[in-house]
Amino acid sequence: MSDARPVRRQERGLRRINEILDAALGLFAEVGFEATSTNAIATRAGISPGSLYQFFANKEAIAEALSVRLVEALREAHASAFGMASVADMPLGDLLDRMLDPLIAFRVANPGAKALFNNPAMPAGLAAATRPLQEAVVGRVASVLAARSPSLPAADRQRSALVGVQIVAAVMPSIVAAEGAERAALITELKKAMYGYFAPLDSPAEHR
Amino acid sequence: MSDARPVRRQERGLRRINEILDAALGLFAEVGFEATSTNAIATRAGISPGSLYQFFANKEAIAEALSVRLVEALREAHASAFGMASVADMPLGDLLDRMLDPLIAFRVANPGAKALFNNPAMPAGLAAATRPLQEAVVGRVASVLAARSPSLPAADRQRSALVGVQIVAAVMPSIVAAEGAERAALITELKKAMYGYFAPLDSPAEHR
DNA sequence: CGAAAATACGAGCAGTTACTCGTATTAGTC
DNA sequence: GACTAATACGAGTAACTGCTCGTATTTTCG
């Protein structure tokens, strides 16, 4: 109802935006989305509360921007992992390695991402802000599934992708929290679970 | 540091405690733990904020008591489902049905339980309050695993139980949210995932 | 240079939160 | 019936929340 006028950002402003996003990501990692106050974000970013609101309309908008930044980063991580290789022809085990390893590396490197990813107890505002992220991830998995199992009905495919993503999301916090050998063991368990779930759905060429 | 003196509850008090717990469970289901205010719990329970604190030291203590109540209810649900039948000899598919069906029924009937169960984004206070619940559930699964696969090292068994519980916890909200055919389909998916994960660990008598 | 836009500040606002406290009522016990 | 402990009330408190606003500085650009 008021000004929809877009602001012409200068370089300084773009830098600030990134600093704010970094601060928010760190705080989300440490105390979660709800418990992170906008004043705390501003303080960690080294600016005043007023300045923060020069760049973001509200707290939810920060989560949204963060979500966009994460989709982008994840897209790149996966793109480099897949390269030109066709997703349809790979053995399932290799495919899981190629999809999960970058994702795990990403989550280990960005513990704050946890707050943004699909998890069952997401506060209302956050859920709205990260819906595109969730959909991007589930859609990505569904399209891989479509390539490998063209005979699977679309609804089943979508549901399987969702469940697969939820399983990964469920185990990921333990993986990120663990270290060394225990982390490796948990990663193995996750892959076993994913393999056990997807192998029966997979293209006949794959399993025995 | 102050009074550790236990209060001698009268019947009226015990009734109030249950009313408070019911109110809290309902609100947790509707808006989540963090967003539920203690004043709102008191109001729904039909008492004043002051009265609430006659029975619970703080908000976290309410979650704790609720957690205890849920462990109890769940224990009963599972006990009646198992009866005398030995957990060690059952086919894996049957075992999964017997463990998961009552759990799903319980969660559908108690949507508020969602806030109390293991989920990755649990606020700090709630996590502390419900740790016993998590441990009870994981321990239960681990002991079933121990009965069926005695050769599995204890550490592996514990880890597998944890991952199994996390998978269930991850898919459960979707199941509770869905209805009719979609819910049934999601339950099937969950069981497929659990079967795929546990079958390779299971006692040799079981698979093929 | 000079004006407009972008960036910056931080005290402060209205609202909410978990929780307290002084006081009143009710129930159990001798 | 009297004494004590349990239950009940609800206005109040201090802290904190997301966010605003008046004002000041810096940058861009003609």
Side-chain angles (χ1 to χ4, degrees):
Chain A
M1 211 80 17
S2 52
D3 62 327
R5 188 172 54 75
V7 180
R8 256 207 45 166
R9 294 279 168 227
Q10 4 188 143
E11 196 196 315
R12 186 173 39 145
L14 294 175
R15 226 183 308 128
R16 275 274 180 261
I17 288 179
N18 266 306
E19 288 167 2
I20 292 168
L21 258 23
D22 290 340
L25 190 60
L27 284 167
F28 289 170
E30 286 161 31
V31 298
F33 174 76
E34 300 256 82
T36 297
S37 75
T38 56
N39 286 13
I41 295 173
T43 300
R44 177 173 293 204
I47 61 176
S48 76
S51 293
L52 193 157
Y53 284 89
Q54 294 279 347
F55 303 104
F56 296 99
N58 51 45
K59 194 179 172 182
E60 191 177 331
I62 298 175
E64 246 167 63
L66 217 34
S67 172
V68 170
R69 209 170 80 162
L70 289 178
V71 183
E72 194 56 28
L74 201 57
R75 211 182 47 72
E76 279 169 24
H78 271 160
S80 75
F82 283 122
M84 302 299 110
S86 168
V87 142
D89 306 332
M90 221 176 282
L92 177 58
D94 292 3
L95 176 67
L96 287 174
D97 288 343
R98 295 240 213 174
M99 292 201 74
L100 292 177
D101 289 341
L103 180 57
I104 292 166
F106 178 79
R107 290 293 288 285
V108 169
N110 301 273
K114 166 184 166 186
L116 283 303
F117 275 88
N118 192 20
N119 80 53
M122 201 176 268
L126 228 201
T130 61
R131 183 141 322 138
L133 204 179
Q134 320 306 340
E135 281 167 8
V137 174
V138 174
R140 187 172 203 75
V141 174
S143 71
V144 171
L145 225 45
R148 296 179 71 92
S149 314
S151 63
L152 197 65
D156 294 6
R157 188 193 304 146
Q158 194 69 20
R159 186 163 45 235
S160 296
L162 176 66
V163 170
V165 168
Q166 285 175 336
I167 291 174
V168 174
V171 183
M172 195 62 80
S174 300
I175 292 176
V176 174
E179 285 174 3
E182 181 62 18
R183 175 181 290 167
L186 282 165
I187 292 172
T188 302
E189 291 306 304
L190 172 59
K191 287 180 180 171
K192 281 199 278 189
M194 296 295 279
Y195 192 93
Y197 180 52
F198 281 119
L201 301 178
D202 211 37
S203 68
E206 171 62 23
H207 46 103
R208 178 141 5 256
Chain B
M1 208 85 12
S2 50
D3 64 325
R5 188 172 53 75
V7 180
R8 256 206 44 167
R9 294 277 168 230
Q10 14 193 195
E11 197 197 313
R12 188 175 34 148
L14 294 175
R15 226 182 308 125
R16 275 275 180 260
I17 288 179
N18 266 306
E19 289 167 2
I20 293 168
L21 258 22
D22 289 341
L25 190 60
L27 285 166
F28 289 170
E30 287 162 29
V31 298
F33 174 77
E34 300 256 82
T36 297
S37 76
T38 55
N39 285 14
I41 295 173
T43 299
R44 177 173 295 201
I47 62 176
S48 77
S51 293
L52 191 157
Y53 285 90
Q54 294 276 348
F55 303 103
F56 297 99
N58 50 46
K59 192 179 174 182
E60 190 177 332
I62 298 175
E64 246 167 63
L66 217 35
S67 172
V68 170
R69 208 170 82 161
L70 289 177
V71 183
E72 195 56 28
L74 202 55
R75 209 182 48 72
E76 278 168 28
H78 271 161
S80 75
F82 284 122
M84 305 295 108
S86 168
V87 142
D89 306 329
M90 219 176 281
L92 178 57
D94 293 3
L95 177 67
L96 287 174
D97 287 343
R98 295 241 214 170
M99 293 201 74
L100 292 177
D101 288 341
L103 179 58
I104 292 167
F106 177 80
R107 291 292 292 279
V108 168
N110 301 274
K114 165 184 166 184
L116 283 303
F117 275 87
N118 193 19
N119 79 54
M122 201 177 267
L126 228 202
T130 59
R131 184 143 320 140
L133 205 179
Q134 319 306 336
E135 281 167 9
V137 174
V138 174
R140 185 171 205 77
V141 175
S143 71
V144 171
L145 226 44
R148 296 179 72 92
S149 315
S151 64
L152 197 65
D156 293 6
R157 188 193 306 146
Q158 195 68 22
R159 186 162 46 236
S160 295
L162 175 67
V163 171
V165 169
Q166 286 175 336
I167 292 173
V168 175
V171 182
M172 195 62 79
S174 301
I175 292 175
V176 174
E179 286 174 3
E182 182 61 18
R183 175 180 289 168
L186 281 166
I187 292 173
T188 301
E189 291 305 303
L190 172 59
K191 287 180 180 172
K192 281 200 277 187
M194 295 295 278
Y195 193 93
Y197 179 52
F198 281 120
L201 301 177
D202 209 38
S203 68
E206 170 61 23
H207 45 105
R208 174 145 6 254

